[in-house]
Amino acid sequence: MIFSSYYYPENAEGITEINYIFFNEADPLDSVYINVKYKTSTEGVEKDFYENKISNAYPNPANAEVSFDLNLEMVQADVQLIISNILGATVKSVNVSGKSGRIKINTSDLESGLYMYSIMIDQKIIKSDKLIISH
């Protein structure tokens, strides 16, 4: 016997409980059931959605500037790019006004070293990665 099931929460968050009942074709009074609880949330969905809409930093290592390509014209929320040092302190923060195209950030005022950059949309980190500055 093969069984498969699909559950599509359609952006609904929470716990859904479904009872699956299996009957014996030869004896309909012979059955067994299993109760399955699905916990759904949209966590991770946003990151998947934005995966191909935000490029990695380039060039990396960067010297005088670093660039990012964005395709976020459908995003109604605030978009912010943050560069942090290795200790987590913000060293640059840029609000992105045009939500599509190339963003260039001047890095000549940053010391050579390892940094982290984050793209935030509505105060949620959508993408983070390392950035190396080498002068």
Side-chain angles (χ1 to χ4, degrees):
M1 175 199 245
I2 297 174
F3 170 78
S4 64
S5 172
Y6 300 95
Y7 173 64
Y8 299 102
E10 297 184 15
N11 293 328
E13 292 192 41
I15 296 176
T16 300
E17 194 169 324
I18 299 176
N19 273 328
Y20 295 99
I21 302 173
F22 302 94
F23 294 93
N24 182 340
E25 288 181 355
D27 182 5
L29 296 176
D30 184 14
S31 65
V32 65
Y33 77 93
I34 183 170
N35 185 15
V36 178
K37 291 182 180 180
Y38 295 95
K39 181 179 179 187
T40 59
S41 77
T42 57
E43 185 176 320
V45 173
E46 287 180 348
K47 289 183 181 183
D48 291 342
F49 175 77
Y50 294 119
E51 186 71 25
N52 296 323
K53 298 184 183 306
I54 305 168
S55 75
N56 289 329
Y58 68 91
N60 194 2
N63 181 10
E65 68 180 21
V66 65
S67 297
F68 299 86
D69 293 329
L70 302 177
N71 183 10
L72 301 172
E73 66 267 351
M74 296 188 68
V75 174
Q76 300 298 318
D78 294 329
V79 179
Q80 191 174 35
L81 186 132
I82 296 172
I83 299 176
S84 304
N85 65 20
I86 198 70
L87 299 174
T90 299
V91 294
K92 273 200 188 274
S93 177
V94 177
N95 291 319
V96 179
S97 55
K99 295 181 180 160
S100 288
R102 181 170 296 144
I103 300 172
K104 292 183 179 184
I105 309 293
N106 182 349
T107 57
S108 61
D109 58 336
L110 299 177
E111 293 181 24
S112 293
L114 179 63
Y115 294 84
M116 294 297 294
Y117 70 85
S118 299
I119 307 283
M120 296 182 71
I121 297 178
D122 245 2
Q123 302 300 316
K124 293 180 188 173
I125 295 175
I126 300 302
K127 181 173 189 149
S128 275
D129 208 344
K130 67 182 175 188
L131 171 65
I132 299 169
I133 306 294
S134 179
H135 300 296

